Amino acid sequence: MSKSYWIRTFGCQMNEHDSERMAGLLEVQGYRPAPSAEQADVVIFNTCAIRENADNRLYGNLGTMKRIKQERPGMQVVVGGCLAEKDRDLVVQKAPWVDVVFGTRNIEALPGLLGAAERQGIPVVEFSEALQVFPSALPSRRGSKIHAWVAIQYGCNNSCTFCIVPSVRGVEASRRIGDVLGEVKDLVSDGVVEVSLLGQNVNSYGRDVYGTPRFADLLLALDGIPGLSRVRFTSPHPKDFREPVARAMAESSVVCEHLHLPVQSGSTRLLKEMKRSYSRERYLEKIWMARRLVPGLAITTDIIVGFPGETEEDFADTLSLVEEVGYDAAYTFQYSPRPGTVAGVRTDQVPKPVVQERFDRLLAAQERISLQRNQDQVGGELEVLVEGPSRKEPGRATTRTRTNKLVHVPNPCDALREGMFARVRITAAAPHHLEGELVG
Ligand code: SAH
Ligand code: SF4
Ligand code: F3S
């Protein structure tokens, strides 16, 4: 009988995508998906290291696996991803029942490492400092029929002082435009209508292979692929986000009117200490430039609250920036000190209750602004892509606008199927979704 696998993914879309590759590799070897971790022959944790609570969760999960493994000898437990990169040998020191620990730059090694661990009967720990094979060249098992992640760049060359990503993901490596286009064409012929381009710093896409950033060129080239309807991307870094990319967004009929531009803080003083290479004013100029060039643009962001040394005045600057931009949505994070980062060793960490109080204020402000932005849509007509039946409410479909807003639409006769485009009139708004009805 064939063996089965189960993967639990933490962290960002890049990790989701890496998990699809791990699944693809295992399926080529004859493995099939298991219904639960308890029933799987191979259990993989694809981990994230961006904030500290991830560490505790992994070791908690591994504790549970120890008990399951005692009842099912022969089962293999694997730890991959960014936290594996950070902890390396420490993983097997803390959890000696783990069979394989591997990194983000040697995903292709997974089947071989499983075999080696089985033969040797001891944990196998293997990492690679450089990207061996672009994961995009590996087989994949996608989570959706109509949407696909497409990695265009791995690693990050920036050195934001709060961030662990460069140390766990390595330096930037871009794929060639022709390779990306080839993959997208294959996906479209397989039924995909929407792709999300992934990279830590997509604006600098291409610099390492072409000597100059080519992200705008890539966006324009994607416009010519028949059958491809929507292109999204994440994340651009504000430092390198310039007019050619905004113009390409406007010019291309497939690139969606949504920009995720992580600001982190509204205080120029803190931005400098974060080494973000832009001031509040430069960031705002980029926002106005993008709004001017791309009509109907929705803008979202990432914000960190409680970076070391953050004063009430710095935080007030973040609050006022959020009001000034009027984001459609913001992902807000409480600062978490990371080992090996410049900010992680600072002695002026902001006390937890102060961070919590500021975080709550920011969240409340953003909820109000998100609701306002969504209420502005009520009465309007929009094109949506159907993602499938609503998970929570039977008889309704979950759909998405080009601006990346969720719209719930009544679907009594099940006419709206995954992958269909429809026109809807927006009837009601909430902070995180819209309600709509079919037009015509
Ligand atoms: N490359 C992306 C960010 C990837 S990490 C970019 O620069 O836009 C995603 C988000 O996690 C960051 O934008 C930041 O808001 C948050 N983050 C990163 N390190 C963090 C830390 N140490 N504590 C809290 N949030 C953090
Ligand atoms: Fe981290 Fe900065 Fe790189 Fe983003 S750009 S991954 S925040 S170092
Ligand atoms: Fe992503 Fe977390 Fe790694 S955010 S790049 S999985 S540290």
Side-chain angles (χ1 to χ4, degrees):
M1 222 181 71
S2 66
K3 287 189 174 179
S4 66
Y5 70 92
W6 186 86
I7 305 181
R8 173 92 192 265
T9 310
F10 301 87
C12 63
Q13 293 99 329
M14 195 61 95
N15 255 21
E16 294 283 346
H17 190 43
D18 286 348
S19 289
E20 294 179 339
R21 300 289 171 191
M22 293 176 196
L25 278 166
L26 292 178
E27 296 205 358
V28 166
Q29 303 283 319
Y31 287 77
R32 59 198 158 71
S36 70
E38 287 78 5
Q39 289 159 275
D41 297 305
V42 173
V43 173
I44 302 174
F45 294 97
N46 190 11
T47 60
C48 170
I50 202 89
R51 281 169 291 274
E52 195 176 5
N53 55 12
D55 297 33
N56 309 332
R57 261 162 82 194
L58 172 68
Y59 292 104
N61 280 314
L62 291 180
T64 310
M65 290 317 300
K66 182 184 183 185
R67 287 195 295 279
I68 299 175
K69 229 185 138 173
Q70 274 161 355
E71 282 155 33
R72 296 198 56 209
M75 171 188 219
Q76 290 186 298
V77 178
V78 179
V79 180
C82 295
L83 190 50
E85 289 274 3
K86 170 174 116 16
D87 281 1
R88 300 209 166 188
D89 293 310
L90 194 66
V91 177
V92 280
Q93 278 167 32
K94 285 193 181 178
W97 55 92
V98 166
D99 297 274
V100 173
V101 185
F102 75 131
T104 57
R105 285 161 284 182
N106 58 340
I107 290 178
E108 72 284 357
L110 176 61
L113 296 174
L114 286 171
E118 194 170 11
R119 280 193 305 279
Q120 296 166 18
I122 51 164
V124 174
V125 179
E126 197 175 289
F127 288 87
S128 168
E129 294 316 313
L131 198 62
Q132 298 300 317
V133 179
F134 274 120
S136 39
L138 305 173
S140 178
R141 182 186 197 274
R142 290 200 320 274
S144 160
K145 285 201 276 285
I146 59 161
H147 170 269
W149 308 110
V150 175
I152 61 170
Q153 174 198 54
Y154 299 90
C156 177
N157 284 2
N158 289 325
S159 39
C160 304
T161 55
F162 51 81
C163 185
I164 198 168
V165 170
S167 73
V168 291
R169 288 258 169 191
V171 292
E172 280 171 19
S174 305
R175 292 168 70 200
R176 297 196 150 265
I177 293 182
D179 292 347
V180 175
L181 295 181
E183 181 182 350
V184 173
K185 282 177 191 156
D186 288 347
L187 288 165
V188 169
S189 62
D190 206 29
V192 165
V193 292
E194 175 177 277
V195 296
S196 297
L197 310 177
L198 296 178
Q200 290 300 344
N201 185 15
V202 293
N203 295 118
S204 64
Y205 164 79
R207 190 179 280 149
D208 53 309
V209 281
Y210 300 110
T212 174
R214 298 281 307 270
F215 187 56
D217 296 339
L218 177 65
L219 290 183
L220 290 173
L222 285 163
D223 203 10
I225 298 179
L228 179 65
S229 301
R230 290 182 171 188
V231 172
R232 304 185 182 282
F233 58 88
T234 195
S235 289
H237 189 295
K239 173 182 63 162
D240 306 309
F241 182 75
R242 300 206 174 84
E243 276 202 33
V245 172
R247 285 191 194 285
M249 288 177 76
E251 227 172 274
S252 158
S253 60
V254 292
V255 177
C256 290
E257 293 74 28
H258 172 215
L259 178 66
H260 181 69
L261 201 61
V263 67
Q264 314 301 357
S265 168
S267 154
T268 297
R269 189 187 77 83
L270 274 198
L271 287 169
K272 206 166 188 173
E273 296 197 2
M274 291 174 167
K275 278 227 170 110
R276 290 290 288 183
S277 319
Y278 53 86
S279 62
R280 173 194 178 97
E281 289 68 32
R282 283 292 289 140
Y283 179 86
L284 285 171
E285 277 168 24
K286 285 165 196 262
I287 294 285
W288 309 143
M289 177 273 286
R291 284 228 168 108
R292 182 163 42 82
L293 293 176
V294 189
L297 186 67
I299 302 180
T300 57
T301 198
D302 291 346
I303 299 172
I304 295 178
V305 177
F307 182 83
E310 184 187 74
T311 63
E312 188 51 38
E313 205 182 340
D314 293 319
F315 178 67
D317 284 347
T318 296
L319 274 183
S320 72
L321 178 116
V322 162
E323 300 283 350
E324 208 171 330
V325 175
Y327 290 109
D328 290 83
Y331 299 89
T332 49
F333 306 103
Q334 301 193 8
Y335 171 74
S336 171
R338 303 316 290 134
T341 61
V342 173
V345 292
R346 280 176 62 157
T347 51
D348 52 350
Q349 304 289 334
V350 182
K352 172 85 182 140
V354 176
V355 179
Q356 184 68 49
E357 191 272 333
R358 288 180 189 162
F359 181 82
D360 292 343
R361 266 194 284 159
L362 177 62
L363 210 62
Q366 185 53 49
E367 288 274 307
R368 170 174 48 75
I369 296 165
S370 296
L371 179 62
Q372 268 166 15
R373 303 281 312 169
N374 282 350
Q375 278 168 342
D376 291 344
Q377 308 284 324
V378 175
E381 278 184 25
L382 295 167
E383 178 208 76
V384 293
L385 172 60
V386 180
E387 296 189 342
S390 163
R391 254 175 270 152
K392 286 190 206 130
E393 288 172 74
R396 296 216 296 176
T398 298
T399 74
R400 203 175 282 273
T401 66
R402 286 174 61 95
T403 52
N404 207 32
K405 292 177 189 283
L406 276 177
V407 187
H408 299 302
V409 184
N411 187 22
C413 327
D414 237 8
L416 296 174
R417 295 280 165 84
E418 182 181 13
M420 283 172 64
F421 287 91
R423 278 198 80 73
V424 297
R425 186 178 302 110
I426 304 303
T427 54
H432 303 287
H433 75 271
L434 299 166
E435 311 259 340
E437 59 190 16
L438 276 178
V439 178

